[in-house]
Amino acid sequence: MSAGPPAEGTAAPQDALAIVRSRGYVSVLVISALLGVPISAVAFGFLALVSELQSLLYHDLPEHLGFHGTPDWWAIGPLAVAGALVALTIRHLPGGGGHKPAEGLKTGGVPSFAMVPGVALAALATLGLGAVLGPEAPLIALGGGLAVGAAKLLKRDAPPTAVAVVGAAGSFAAISELLGSPLVGAFLLMEATGLGGPMMGVVLVPGLLSAGVGSLIFTGLGNWTGLGTFSLALTHVPPVGPPTVGEFAWAVVAGVAAAFLGEAIRRSSLSLQAVVERHRLPLTVLMGVAVGVIALLYAVITDRPVTGVLFSGQDALAPLLADSAGYTAATLVVLLVCKALAYSASMSAFRGGPIFPAIFVGATGGLALSHLPGLGSTAGFAIGIGAMTVAMLKLPLTAVMLATLLLGADGLTVMPLVIVGVVVSYVATLHLARLPAGPAPEAPRPGPTATAT
Protein backbone atom coordinates (compact mmCIF):
# COMPACT_ATOMS: atom_id res chain seq x y z
CA MET A 1 0.00 0.00 0.00
CA SER A 2 2.68 2.40 -1.07
CA ALA A 3 0.76 4.41 -3.63
CA GLY A 4 -2.50 6.27 -3.68
CA PRO A 5 -4.20 9.19 -5.37
CA PRO A 6 -2.72 12.65 -4.95
CA ALA A 7 -4.02 14.84 -2.17
CA GLU A 8 -5.96 17.06 -4.56
CA GLY A 9 -9.28 15.90 -5.93
CA THR A 10 -8.10 16.27 -9.53
CA ALA A 11 -5.18 14.90 -11.46
CA ALA A 12 -3.95 14.65 -15.03
CA PRO A 13 -5.12 11.52 -16.90
CA GLN A 14 -1.57 10.21 -17.12
CA ASP A 15 -1.16 10.58 -13.34
CA ALA A 16 -4.36 8.62 -12.69
CA LEU A 17 -3.25 5.94 -15.16
CA ALA A 18 0.12 5.67 -13.42
CA ILE A 19 -1.60 5.25 -10.07
CA VAL A 20 -3.84 2.45 -11.34
CA ARG A 21 -0.85 0.64 -12.88
CA SER A 22 1.26 0.87 -9.73
CA ARG A 23 1.87 -2.07 -7.42
CA GLY A 24 0.64 -0.02 -4.47
CA TYR A 25 -2.77 0.41 -6.11
CA VAL A 26 -3.10 -3.35 -6.44
CA SER A 27 -2.43 -3.56 -2.70
CA VAL A 28 -5.16 -1.02 -2.08
CA LEU A 29 -7.59 -3.12 -4.14
CA VAL A 30 -6.72 -6.30 -2.24
CA ILE A 31 -7.07 -4.60 1.15
CA SER A 32 -10.37 -2.98 0.11
CA ALA A 33 -11.78 -6.37 -0.91
CA LEU A 34 -10.60 -8.06 2.28
CA LEU A 35 -11.91 -5.30 4.52
CA GLY A 36 -15.30 -5.46 2.79
CA VAL A 37 -15.99 -8.76 4.57
CA PRO A 38 -15.67 -7.75 8.25
CA ILE A 39 -16.96 -4.21 7.73
CA SER A 40 -20.14 -5.34 5.98
CA ALA A 41 -20.62 -7.96 8.71
CA VAL A 42 -20.30 -5.24 11.36
CA ALA A 43 -22.78 -3.06 9.43
CA PHE A 44 -25.23 -5.96 9.21
CA GLY A 45 -24.86 -6.59 12.94
CA PHE A 46 -25.42 -2.91 13.69
CA LEU A 47 -28.66 -2.85 11.66
CA ALA A 48 -29.81 -6.11 13.26
CA LEU A 49 -29.15 -4.65 16.72
CA VAL A 50 -31.16 -1.53 15.89
CA SER A 51 -34.05 -3.68 14.68
CA GLU A 52 -33.98 -5.87 17.78
CA LEU A 53 -33.82 -2.82 20.04
CA GLN A 54 -36.86 -1.28 18.36
CA SER A 55 -38.80 -4.53 18.66
CA LEU A 56 -37.81 -4.96 22.31
CA LEU A 57 -38.77 -1.44 23.38
CA TYR A 58 -41.90 -0.96 21.30
CA HIS A 59 -43.38 -4.46 21.27
CA ASP A 60 -41.98 -6.87 23.85
CA LEU A 61 -41.58 -4.52 26.81
CA PRO A 62 -45.15 -3.12 26.76
CA GLU A 63 -46.52 -6.66 26.62
CA HIS A 64 -44.36 -7.77 29.54
CA LEU A 65 -45.68 -4.81 31.52
CA GLY A 66 -49.26 -5.95 30.94
CA PHE A 67 -50.38 -3.60 28.17
CA HIS A 68 -52.57 -4.95 25.39
CA GLY A 69 -50.56 -3.49 22.54
CA THR A 70 -48.24 -0.51 22.69
CA PRO A 71 -49.90 2.64 24.10
CA ASP A 72 -49.77 5.68 21.84
CA TRP A 73 -47.96 7.67 24.53
CA TRP A 74 -45.31 4.99 25.02
CA ALA A 75 -42.71 6.56 22.71
CA ILE A 76 -42.28 9.66 24.88
CA GLY A 77 -40.29 7.78 27.53
CA PRO A 78 -37.81 5.98 25.23
CA LEU A 79 -37.25 9.14 23.22
CA ALA A 80 -36.48 11.13 26.37
CA VAL A 81 -33.93 8.46 27.35
CA ALA A 82 -32.52 8.62 23.81
CA GLY A 83 -32.06 12.36 24.17
CA ALA A 84 -30.08 11.92 27.39
CA LEU A 85 -27.88 9.17 25.92
CA VAL A 86 -27.15 11.10 22.74
CA ALA A 87 -26.37 14.30 24.63
CA LEU A 88 -23.94 12.53 26.96
CA THR A 89 -22.28 10.78 24.02
CA ILE A 90 -21.84 14.04 22.13
CA ARG A 91 -20.41 15.74 25.19
CA HIS A 92 -18.00 13.07 26.44
CA LEU A 93 -16.87 10.84 23.53
CA PRO A 94 -14.57 11.77 20.62
CA GLY A 95 -16.21 12.78 17.38
CA GLY A 96 -19.32 14.38 18.82
CA GLY A 97 -21.43 11.35 17.94
CA GLY A 98 -20.87 11.87 14.20
CA HIS A 99 -21.92 14.58 11.78
CA LYS A 100 -24.90 16.86 12.40
CA PRO A 101 -27.79 15.76 10.18
CA ALA A 102 -29.27 19.27 10.06
CA GLU A 103 -26.23 20.32 8.04
CA GLY A 104 -26.77 17.71 5.34
CA LEU A 105 -25.05 14.48 4.45
CA LYS A 106 -21.31 15.03 4.97
CA THR A 107 -18.85 12.52 3.57
CA GLY A 108 -15.70 14.62 3.10
CA GLY A 109 -12.51 14.12 5.09
CA VAL A 110 -10.75 11.02 6.34
CA PRO A 111 -12.70 9.37 9.19
CA SER A 112 -10.97 8.58 12.45
CA PHE A 113 -11.07 5.24 14.24
CA ALA A 114 -11.33 7.12 17.54
CA MET A 115 -14.80 8.38 16.65
CA VAL A 116 -16.25 4.88 16.03
CA PRO A 117 -17.53 4.23 19.61
CA GLY A 118 -19.22 7.62 19.86
CA VAL A 119 -20.87 7.31 16.45
CA ALA A 120 -22.10 3.79 17.22
CA LEU A 121 -23.56 4.70 20.64
CA ALA A 122 -25.26 7.90 19.45
CA ALA A 123 -26.74 6.12 16.43
CA LEU A 124 -27.99 3.17 18.47
CA ALA A 125 -29.75 5.50 20.89
CA THR A 126 -31.19 7.61 18.06
CA LEU A 127 -32.35 4.83 15.77
CA GLY A 128 -33.23 2.17 18.32
CA LEU A 129 -35.33 4.39 20.57
CA GLY A 130 -37.46 5.99 17.87
CA ALA A 131 -36.01 9.30 16.59
CA VAL A 132 -36.76 10.19 12.96
CA LEU A 133 -33.37 9.69 11.31
CA GLY A 134 -31.79 6.99 9.16
CA PRO A 135 -28.77 4.68 9.53
CA GLU A 136 -26.88 5.68 6.37
CA ALA A 137 -24.69 8.45 7.83
CA PRO A 138 -23.61 6.45 10.91
CA LEU A 139 -22.83 3.44 8.70
CA ILE A 140 -20.72 5.59 6.37
CA ALA A 141 -18.75 6.91 9.35
CA LEU A 142 -18.44 3.49 11.01
CA GLY A 143 -17.31 1.78 7.81
CA GLY A 144 -14.77 4.47 7.04
CA GLY A 145 -13.45 4.64 10.60
CA LEU A 146 -13.03 0.88 10.88
CA ALA A 147 -11.29 0.70 7.49
CA VAL A 148 -8.90 3.51 8.38
CA GLY A 149 -8.07 1.87 11.71
CA ALA A 150 -7.42 -1.47 10.01
CA ALA A 151 -5.29 0.13 7.28
CA LYS A 152 -3.10 1.91 9.82
CA LEU A 153 -2.81 -1.26 11.85
CA LEU A 154 -1.68 -3.27 8.81
CA LYS A 155 0.82 -0.66 7.63
CA ARG A 156 1.64 2.17 10.00
CA ASP A 157 3.61 4.14 7.40
CA ALA A 158 0.89 3.95 4.73
CA PRO A 159 0.53 7.18 2.69
CA PRO A 160 -2.40 9.32 3.86
CA THR A 161 -3.93 9.26 0.39
CA ALA A 162 -3.91 5.46 0.30
CA VAL A 163 -5.51 5.39 3.76
CA ALA A 164 -8.17 7.81 2.48
CA VAL A 165 -9.02 5.49 -0.43
CA VAL A 166 -9.26 2.47 1.88
CA GLY A 167 -11.47 4.49 4.25
CA ALA A 168 -13.78 5.39 1.37
CA ALA A 169 -13.94 1.72 0.38
CA GLY A 170 -14.99 0.88 3.95
CA SER A 171 -17.87 3.34 3.67
CA PHE A 172 -18.91 1.74 0.37
CA ALA A 173 -19.00 -1.69 2.02
CA ALA A 174 -21.00 -0.49 5.02
CA ILE A 175 -23.93 0.80 2.93
CA SER A 176 -23.61 -1.68 0.07
CA GLU A 177 -27.15 -3.08 0.43
CA LEU A 178 -28.82 -0.41 2.55
CA LEU A 179 -30.26 1.64 -0.33
CA GLY A 180 -31.40 -1.35 -2.36
CA SER A 181 -28.36 -1.67 -4.61
CA PRO A 182 -24.58 -1.22 -4.27
CA LEU A 183 -24.78 1.07 -7.29
CA VAL A 184 -27.06 3.55 -5.51
CA GLY A 185 -24.70 3.67 -2.53
CA ALA A 186 -21.74 4.22 -4.83
CA PHE A 187 -23.50 7.09 -6.61
CA LEU A 188 -24.46 8.61 -3.29
CA LEU A 189 -20.91 8.64 -1.98
CA MET A 190 -19.31 9.81 -5.22
CA GLU A 191 -21.86 12.59 -5.78
CA ALA A 192 -21.74 13.70 -2.15
CA THR A 193 -17.94 14.02 -2.16
CA GLY A 194 -17.97 15.84 -5.51
CA LEU A 195 -15.02 13.85 -6.83
CA GLY A 196 -14.73 13.85 -10.62
CA GLY A 197 -12.32 13.75 -13.51
CA PRO A 198 -9.62 11.09 -13.86
CA MET A 199 -9.40 10.57 -10.09
CA MET A 200 -13.02 9.41 -9.87
CA GLY A 201 -12.14 6.01 -11.28
CA VAL A 202 -9.12 5.69 -9.00
CA VAL A 203 -11.32 6.00 -5.91
CA LEU A 204 -14.43 4.39 -7.37
CA VAL A 205 -12.89 1.04 -8.31
CA PRO A 206 -11.78 0.06 -4.77
CA GLY A 207 -15.11 1.33 -3.45
CA LEU A 208 -17.15 -0.72 -5.92
CA LEU A 209 -15.05 -3.80 -5.20
CA SER A 210 -15.59 -3.41 -1.47
CA ALA A 211 -19.31 -2.73 -2.02
CA GLY A 212 -19.66 -5.85 -4.15
CA VAL A 213 -18.05 -7.99 -1.45
CA GLY A 214 -20.18 -6.27 1.17
CA SER A 215 -23.35 -6.96 -0.80
CA LEU A 216 -22.53 -10.68 -0.89
CA ILE A 217 -21.90 -10.69 2.86
CA PHE A 218 -25.16 -8.82 3.55
CA THR A 219 -27.12 -11.29 1.42
CA GLY A 220 -25.41 -14.32 2.95
CA LEU A 221 -25.92 -13.15 6.51
CA GLY A 222 -29.52 -12.25 5.77
CA ASN A 223 -30.26 -15.73 4.46
CA TRP A 224 -28.29 -17.47 7.20
CA THR A 225 -29.89 -15.59 10.08
CA GLY A 226 -33.33 -15.24 8.52
CA LEU A 227 -33.31 -11.51 9.29
CA GLY A 228 -33.16 -10.31 5.69
CA THR A 229 -30.66 -7.79 4.35
CA PHE A 230 -32.21 -4.60 5.88
CA SER A 231 -32.24 -3.25 2.33
CA LEU A 232 -34.63 -0.59 1.10
CA ALA A 233 -37.23 -2.51 -0.93
CA LEU A 234 -40.90 -2.52 -1.89
CA THR A 235 -43.05 -5.63 -1.66
CA HIS A 236 -45.92 -4.48 -3.87
CA VAL A 237 -45.96 -1.77 -6.55
CA PRO A 238 -49.36 -0.86 -8.06
CA PRO A 239 -49.32 -0.98 -11.86
CA VAL A 240 -48.36 2.21 -13.65
CA GLY A 241 -49.17 3.36 -17.18
CA PRO A 242 -47.19 5.55 -19.59
CA PRO A 243 -46.64 9.15 -18.42
CA THR A 244 -49.31 11.66 -19.38
CA VAL A 245 -49.21 15.40 -19.91
CA GLY A 246 -51.11 15.89 -16.68
CA GLU A 247 -48.55 13.85 -14.74
CA PHE A 248 -45.73 15.99 -16.15
CA ALA A 249 -47.58 19.07 -14.86
CA TRP A 250 -47.98 17.45 -11.46
CA ALA A 251 -44.24 16.66 -11.46
CA VAL A 252 -43.53 20.39 -11.75
CA VAL A 253 -45.94 21.15 -8.91
CA ALA A 254 -44.43 18.43 -6.73
CA GLY A 255 -40.91 19.71 -7.41
CA VAL A 256 -41.78 23.24 -6.30
CA ALA A 257 -43.69 22.02 -3.23
CA ALA A 258 -40.84 19.71 -2.20
CA ALA A 259 -38.33 22.55 -2.47
CA PHE A 260 -40.34 24.78 -0.14
CA LEU A 261 -41.03 21.97 2.32
CA GLY A 262 -37.42 20.77 2.30
CA GLU A 263 -36.10 24.27 2.87
CA ALA A 264 -38.56 24.79 5.73
CA ILE A 265 -37.40 21.56 7.38
CA ARG A 266 -33.74 22.43 6.91
CA ARG A 267 -34.01 25.99 8.24
CA SER A 268 -36.13 25.03 11.22
CA SER A 269 -33.74 22.21 12.16
CA LEU A 270 -30.74 24.54 11.92
CA SER A 271 -32.47 27.15 14.08
CA LEU A 272 -33.37 24.52 16.68
CA GLN A 273 -29.85 23.09 16.55
CA ALA A 274 -28.36 26.46 17.48
CA VAL A 275 -30.63 26.57 20.54
CA VAL A 276 -30.05 22.93 21.54
CA GLU A 277 -26.27 23.34 21.48
CA ARG A 278 -26.44 26.00 24.19
CA HIS A 279 -27.97 23.56 26.69
CA ARG A 280 -27.24 20.17 25.16
CA LEU A 281 -28.57 17.72 27.76
CA PRO A 282 -31.96 19.18 28.76
CA LEU A 283 -32.86 20.38 25.26
CA THR A 284 -31.92 17.13 23.54
CA VAL A 285 -34.20 15.35 26.01
CA LEU A 286 -36.88 17.96 25.22
CA MET A 287 -36.53 17.32 21.48
CA GLY A 288 -37.00 13.62 22.12
CA VAL A 289 -40.16 14.30 24.10
CA ALA A 290 -41.36 16.59 21.29
CA VAL A 291 -40.98 13.80 18.74
CA GLY A 292 -42.98 11.47 20.99
CA VAL A 293 -45.75 14.04 21.44
CA ILE A 294 -45.94 14.65 17.68
CA ALA A 295 -46.32 10.90 17.09
CA LEU A 296 -49.01 10.78 19.79
CA LEU A 297 -50.95 13.60 18.11
CA TYR A 298 -50.80 11.75 14.78
CA ALA A 299 -52.20 8.61 16.40
CA VAL A 300 -54.99 10.53 18.15
CA ILE A 301 -56.00 12.45 15.01
CA THR A 302 -55.86 9.57 12.53
CA ASP A 303 -56.39 6.50 14.75
CA ARG A 304 -53.28 4.94 13.17
CA PRO A 305 -50.17 3.63 14.98
CA VAL A 306 -47.44 6.02 16.08
CA THR A 307 -44.89 4.02 14.11
CA GLY A 308 -46.03 5.91 11.03
CA VAL A 309 -44.21 8.95 12.43
CA LEU A 310 -41.43 7.31 14.46
CA PHE A 311 -38.19 5.83 13.15
CA SER A 312 -36.53 6.44 9.78
CA GLY A 313 -39.50 5.38 7.66
CA GLN A 314 -37.57 2.63 5.86
CA ASP A 315 -39.74 -0.23 7.13
CA ALA A 316 -42.96 1.79 6.81
CA LEU A 317 -42.38 2.75 3.16
CA ALA A 318 -43.52 -0.53 1.56
CA PRO A 319 -46.75 -0.77 3.65
CA LEU A 320 -47.48 2.88 2.85
CA LEU A 321 -47.49 2.21 -0.89
CA ALA A 322 -49.17 -1.20 -0.68
CA ASP A 323 -52.01 0.23 1.46
CA SER A 324 -52.14 3.63 -0.25
CA ALA A 325 -55.80 3.11 -1.19
CA GLY A 326 -56.63 2.86 2.51
CA TYR A 327 -55.26 6.33 3.28
CA THR A 328 -57.50 9.33 2.78
CA ALA A 329 -55.99 12.55 1.50
CA ALA A 330 -56.53 14.15 4.93
CA THR A 331 -54.73 11.30 6.70
CA LEU A 332 -51.77 11.60 4.32
CA VAL A 333 -51.57 15.36 4.90
CA VAL A 334 -51.56 14.84 8.68
CA LEU A 335 -48.88 12.16 8.32
CA LEU A 336 -46.82 14.47 6.11
CA VAL A 337 -46.97 17.35 8.58
CA CYS A 338 -46.24 15.20 11.65
CA LYS A 339 -43.39 13.32 10.00
CA ALA A 340 -41.84 16.57 8.78
CA LEU A 341 -42.06 18.15 12.25
CA ALA A 342 -40.58 15.07 13.93
CA TYR A 343 -37.88 14.94 11.23
CA SER A 344 -36.90 18.57 11.88
CA ALA A 345 -36.80 18.09 15.67
CA SER A 346 -34.73 14.93 15.34
CA MET A 347 -32.19 16.55 13.01
CA SER A 348 -31.71 19.43 15.41
CA ALA A 349 -30.49 17.29 18.32
CA PHE A 350 -29.93 13.63 17.44
CA ARG A 351 -27.36 11.81 15.32
CA GLY A 352 -28.26 9.89 12.18
CA GLY A 353 -28.80 10.27 8.46
CA PRO A 354 -31.28 12.53 6.62
CA ILE A 355 -32.03 10.27 3.63
CA PHE A 356 -34.70 7.80 4.74
CA PRO A 357 -37.02 10.33 6.44
CA ALA A 358 -36.76 12.52 3.32
CA ILE A 359 -37.76 9.53 1.18
CA PHE A 360 -40.77 8.82 3.42
CA VAL A 361 -41.89 12.46 3.55
CA GLY A 362 -41.62 12.72 -0.23
CA ALA A 363 -43.51 9.46 -0.76
CA THR A 364 -46.30 10.63 1.56
CA GLY A 365 -46.57 13.96 -0.23
CA GLY A 366 -46.65 12.27 -3.62
CA LEU A 367 -49.42 9.91 -2.52
CA ALA A 368 -51.39 12.86 -1.15
CA LEU A 369 -51.12 14.59 -4.55
CA SER A 370 -52.28 11.41 -6.29
CA HIS A 371 -55.72 11.94 -4.76
CA LEU A 372 -56.09 14.86 -7.15
CA PRO A 373 -57.15 14.26 -10.79
CA GLY A 374 -54.50 13.30 -13.33
CA LEU A 375 -51.83 11.64 -11.15
CA GLY A 376 -51.54 7.95 -10.36
CA SER A 377 -50.43 6.69 -6.96
CA THR A 378 -47.23 4.98 -8.16
CA ALA A 379 -46.20 7.97 -10.27
CA GLY A 380 -46.90 10.37 -7.39
CA PHE A 381 -45.00 8.10 -5.00
CA ALA A 382 -41.90 8.09 -7.23
CA ILE A 383 -42.03 11.81 -8.05
CA GLY A 384 -42.38 12.71 -4.37
CA ILE A 385 -39.40 10.56 -3.38
CA GLY A 386 -37.14 12.07 -6.02
CA ALA A 387 -38.21 15.67 -5.43
CA MET A 388 -37.95 15.52 -1.63
CA THR A 389 -34.66 13.60 -1.65
CA VAL A 390 -32.97 16.19 -3.84
CA ALA A 391 -34.47 19.02 -1.78
CA MET A 392 -32.80 17.66 1.36
CA LEU A 393 -29.54 16.30 -0.12
CA LYS A 394 -28.99 18.44 -3.25
CA LEU A 395 -27.78 15.29 -5.06
CA PRO A 396 -29.88 15.06 -8.26
CA LEU A 397 -28.38 11.87 -9.74
CA THR A 398 -28.78 10.00 -6.47
CA ALA A 399 -32.37 11.23 -6.13
CA VAL A 400 -33.32 9.98 -9.60
CA MET A 401 -31.66 6.59 -9.04
CA LEU A 402 -33.29 6.09 -5.64
CA ALA A 403 -36.78 6.89 -6.89
CA THR A 404 -36.58 4.78 -10.04
CA LEU A 405 -34.57 1.72 -8.99
CA LEU A 406 -36.78 1.34 -5.92
CA LEU A 407 -39.76 0.64 -8.20
CA GLY A 408 -38.01 -2.07 -10.20
CA ALA A 409 -39.26 -2.47 -13.76
CA ASP A 410 -41.90 0.24 -13.27
CA GLY A 411 -39.13 2.67 -12.41
CA LEU A 412 -38.16 2.96 -16.08
CA THR A 413 -41.73 3.94 -16.95
CA VAL A 414 -41.91 6.77 -14.42
CA MET A 415 -38.29 7.90 -14.83
CA PRO A 416 -39.15 10.88 -17.11
CA LEU A 417 -41.60 12.14 -14.50
CA VAL A 418 -39.06 11.67 -11.70
CA ILE A 419 -36.41 13.58 -13.67
CA VAL A 420 -38.76 16.53 -14.16
CA GLY A 421 -39.67 16.58 -10.46
CA VAL A 422 -36.03 16.29 -9.38
CA VAL A 423 -34.79 19.03 -11.72
CA VAL A 424 -37.54 21.46 -10.70
CA SER A 425 -36.99 20.74 -7.01
CA TYR A 426 -33.21 21.03 -7.32
CA VAL A 427 -33.30 24.40 -9.11
CA ALA A 428 -35.96 25.77 -6.76
CA THR A 429 -34.02 24.56 -3.71
CA LEU A 430 -30.86 26.30 -4.87
CA HIS A 431 -32.80 29.54 -5.36
CA LEU A 432 -34.47 29.28 -1.95
CA ALA A 433 -31.11 28.53 -0.29
CA ARG A 434 -29.88 31.97 -1.40
CA LEU A 435 -32.62 33.72 0.56
CA PRO A 436 -31.86 34.89 4.13
CA ALA A 437 -31.88 31.88 6.45
CA GLY A 438 -31.25 31.05 10.08
CA PRO A 439 -27.86 30.52 11.70
CA ALA A 440 -25.21 29.23 9.32
CA PRO A 441 -23.87 25.72 9.91
CA GLU A 442 -20.96 25.61 12.29
CA ALA A 443 -17.60 25.12 10.56
CA PRO A 444 -15.91 21.80 11.37
CA ARG A 445 -13.33 22.07 14.11
CA PRO A 446 -9.81 20.85 13.33
CA GLY A 447 -8.92 17.59 14.97
CA PRO A 448 -8.64 13.87 14.41
CA THR A 449 -12.28 13.56 13.38
CA ALA A 450 -12.13 16.09 10.52
CA THR A 451 -8.92 15.69 8.60
CA ALA A 452 -8.78 17.21 5.15
CA THR A 453 -8.41 14.69 2.37
Side-chain angles (χ1 to χ4, degrees), residues 105-373:
L105 183 67
K106 294 185 178 180
T107 60
V110 181
S112 167
F113 180 73
M115 68 187 291
V116 168
V119 170
L121 288 174
L124 279 175
T126 295
L127 306 175
L129 276 68
V132 186
L133 288 170
E136 69 283 351
L139 286 180
I140 290 171
L142 292 174
L146 290 173
V148 166
K152 291 182 177 179
L153 183 64
L154 292 172
K155 190 171 179 63
R156 295 185 179 276
D157 60 344
T161 49
V163 173
V165 173
V166 172
S171 296
F172 275 69
I175 63 167
S176 57
E177 277 294 314
L178 183 65
L179 298 173
S181 167
L183 191 59
V184 179
F187 262 90
L188 170 68
L189 290 172
M190 297 306 296
E191 194 175 14
T193 56
L195 188 63
M199 289 310 303
M200 183 172 68
V202 174
V203 179
L204 183 59
V205 170
L208 284 175
L209 179 60
S210 188
V213 173
S215 181
L216 291 175
I217 299 301
F218 261 77
T219 303
L221 288 174
N223 293 333
W224 179 58
T225 61
L227 297 174
T229 61
F230 302 104
S231 177
L232 181 64
L234 299 177
T235 54
H236 172 71
V237 178
V240 59
T244 64
V245 175
E247 287 177 330
F248 275 105
W250 280 121
V252 174
V253 173
V256 174
F260 276 94
L261 178 58
E263 190 65 11
I265 293 172
R266 187 187 69 83
R267 293 193 185 196
S268 61
S269 63
L270 285 172
S271 299
L272 287 171
Q273 176 182 276
V275 176
V276 168
E277 288 178 343
R278 298 173 193 162
H279 306 283
R280 168 63 65 183
L281 181 57
L283 292 185
T284 305
V285 172
L286 181 61
M287 288 298 103
V289 172
V291 172
V293 170
I294 292 169
L296 172 61
L297 289 175
Y298 167 74
V300 170
I301 295 171
T302 65
D303 198 28
R304 286 183 173 268
V306 295
T307 51
V309 171
L310 300 178
F311 310 120
S312 68
Q314 178 183 356
D315 295 334
L317 194 64
L320 177 68
L321 179 60
D323 189 34
S324 58
Y327 283 84
T328 65
T331 299
L332 288 169
V333 170
V334 174
L335 176 58
L336 173 68
V337 172
C338 290
K339 190 76 172 184
L341 290 174
Y343 182 23
S344 176
S346 298
M347 284 201 299
S348 71
F350 290 89
R351 292 294 185 259
I355 297 179
F356 284 103
I359 292 173
F360 189 87
V361 169
T364 305
L367 289 176
L369 282 178
S370 71
H371 282 263
L372 299 173

Side-chain angles (χ1 to χ4, degrees), residues 243 247-248 250-252 254-255 378-390 396-405 407 410-426:
E247 287 177 330
F248 275 105
W250 280 121
V252 174
T378 301
F381 182 84
I383 293 168
I385 289 176
M388 195 65 202
T389 300
V390 79
L397 286 176
T398 300
V400 171
M401 290 191 68
L402 266 174
T404 54
L405 292 182
L407 296 179
D410 292 318
L412 294 177
T413 304
V414 300
M415 183 180 285
L417 300 173
V418 172
I419 291 175
V420 171
V422 166
V423 170
V424 172
S425 178
Y426 181 62

